[in-house]
Amino acid sequence: MKHSLPDGLRELLAHAATAGHANWRTLLRPGDWLLLALAALLVAASYPLLWRGGTADRAIVKRDGQVVTELALNVARKYAVTGAIGTTLIEVQPGRARVVSDPGPRQYCVQQGWLTRANAVAICAPNHVTLQLAGRGGRNEAYDTLNY
Amino acid sequence: MTPSTIELPVTADDYRIARYAAAAIALTVAEAALPSPLPGIKPGLANIIVLVVLARYGWRDAAWVSLLRVVAGSLVIGQFLAPGFFLALSGALCSLAVLALAQHLPPRFFGPVSASVLAAFAHIGGQIALARVWLVPHDGVFYLVPLFATTALVFGAINGLVAARLLAISVDIPVAAPAAPKGAS
């Protein structure tokens, strides 16, 4: 069995087992350090670059499927929409939006609380009003809604 | 009718490549048993063998070992022609392409660790590119890039250090040009 191992590799492993612990740092050359540092920078930069895509930058309010208004998510404000059975009050704060009050009997869209991700949606069905967040670039438009 | 015998001459090169490939396949199989938090995140230990072969015998041998490892390794773990096989193949081809360039880096400044990290990034690059084009045709796959890149950096550095250590030891062992053993073992 021993003889079926590669000659070079067998010797290598035999030596590795007996050679004791070398200083790991001697195995790295100057360029290796440079490349590792560059790679670490790139990896660190990839997190904010690629994980920002899910953030929303505007809220879209619709009544009966028709867009009533688009609110930018950078200023705090409130907006009232009159729907089929009353008035739905929507609140926008930097980076998030919610339905504050709604005349619907079960209050589902109010209880959903703050929406923060792009394509998140709160539907006040009895009042025919929806609040949806949209991200930059309008990606993921093939989906009606996404849940997190 | 006389039974015809086709004899393929087996050179010392063939034996050496087969042996290194066998070592790489063994590592692939051992690694397949490790639990992984996410498909695609694994140490890639077989690449240590590829790096050693690249440094000692050149790119051609490394390419043979790497591709034999992908094909035979997937046969052993039952992944041949499954999506994972094509991802591994795409990753291996990309990393071989990068290694072909990386071996021309000045050896005074760049050692096996650089080659390993570059190859690891090429590996995930190839896999994600194929996944985006074929398996998950949606930009959502790029959401995983930071995770894959982090593991590529960590495991690329570790594998490179192991390869560098094996190569540092091998300096005093002459490059083996063993006589082919009699009979298949």
Side-chain angles (χ1 to χ4, degrees), chain A:
Chain A
M1 191 60 209
K2 244 187 151 185
H3 292 280
S4 64
L5 276 167
D7 291 299
L9 195 63
R10 188 179 68 218
E11 287 171 66
L12 269 185
L13 295 176
H15 275 69
T18 56
H21 295 285
N23 189 354
W24 288 105
R25 257 179 288 172
T26 61
L27 302 172
L28 285 159
R29 295 168 209 178
D32 294 338
W33 287 109
L34 188 75
L35 194 120
L36 281 175
L38 267 175
L41 266 177
L42 272 177
V43 169
S46 74
Y47 279 87
L49 267 176
L50 289 160
W51 283 8
R52 199 184 45 191
T55 57
D57 61 359
R58 64 189 193 280
I60 299 166
V61 181
K62 290 183 186 174
R63 183 180 54 219
D64 293 317
Q66 306 299 313
V67 176
V68 177
T69 185
E70 285 198 14
L71 307 164
L73 288 191
N74 45 19
V75 236
R77 60 175 294 192
K78 289 188 179 179
Y79 188 84
V81 205
T82 309
I85 57 169
T87 301
T88 300
L89 186 61
I90 283 157
E91 181 179 8
V92 169
Q93 280 188 3
R96 56 185 194 166
R98 67 168 173 170
V99 178
V100 181
S101 66
D102 179 72
R106 278 171 287 275
Q107 300 285 303
Y108 288 136
C109 57
V110 179
Q111 284 167 24
Q112 234 177 309
W114 290 104
L115 309 179
T116 56
R117 306 292 302 255
N119 300 310
V121 65
I123 300 168
C124 305
N127 206 19
H128 300 196
V129 171
T130 65
L131 165 68
Q132 184 174 13
L133 300 194
R136 62 199 86 206
R139 286 199 301 170
N140 299 339
E141 297 224 310
Y143 300 97
D144 292 333
T145 182
L146 290 174
N147 272 302
Y148 296 96

Side-chain angles (χ1 to χ4, degrees), chain B:
Chain B
M1 267 172 52
T2 45
S4 67
T5 318
I6 300 170
E7 264 200 41
L8 299 172
V10 183
T11 64
D13 276 9
D14 296 338
Y15 279 109
R16 192 180 63 237
I17 288 169
R19 287 160 161 177
Y20 276 102
I25 292 161
L27 286 174
T28 302
V29 173
E31 197 175 79
L34 292 176
S36 165
L38 195 70
I41 290 190
K42 45 179 161 181
L45 297 173
N47 296 321
I48 297 170
I49 305 291
V50 176
L51 287 166
V52 169
V53 173
L54 176 75
R56 297 197 85 197
Y57 304 102
W59 186 83
R60 196 191 74 100
D61 282 25
W64 268 114
V65 169
S66 173
L67 295 176
L68 280 172
R69 184 225 105 196
V70 170
V71 174
S74 71
L75 279 172
V76 174
I77 59 177
Q79 286 275 314
F80 186 57
L81 298 185
F85 164 76
F86 291 104
L87 290 177
L89 185 63
S90 159
L93 288 174
C94 282
S95 77
L96 282 172
V98 166
L99 284 176
L101 300 173
Q103 63 176 347
H104 298 300
L105 287 170
R108 202 171 112 65
F109 297 110
F110 295 96
V113 178
S114 290
S116 177
V117 170
L118 289 173
F121 278 115
H123 224 107
I124 56 144
Q127 297 194 23
I128 289 177
L130 184 67
R132 170 65 184 83
V133 169
W134 178 44
L135 291 175
V136 190
H138 183 262
D139 284 342
V141 282
F142 295 124
Y143 197 66
L144 295 172
V145 164
L147 290 180
F148 286 137
T150 308
T151 43
L153 176 61
V154 172
F155 290 129
I158 293 173
N159 289 349
L161 281 170
V162 174
R165 173 126 165 76
L166 288 174
L167 289 165
I169 294 162
S170 74
V171 167
D172 33 65
I173 308 171
V175 170
K182 302 284 171 270
S185 46

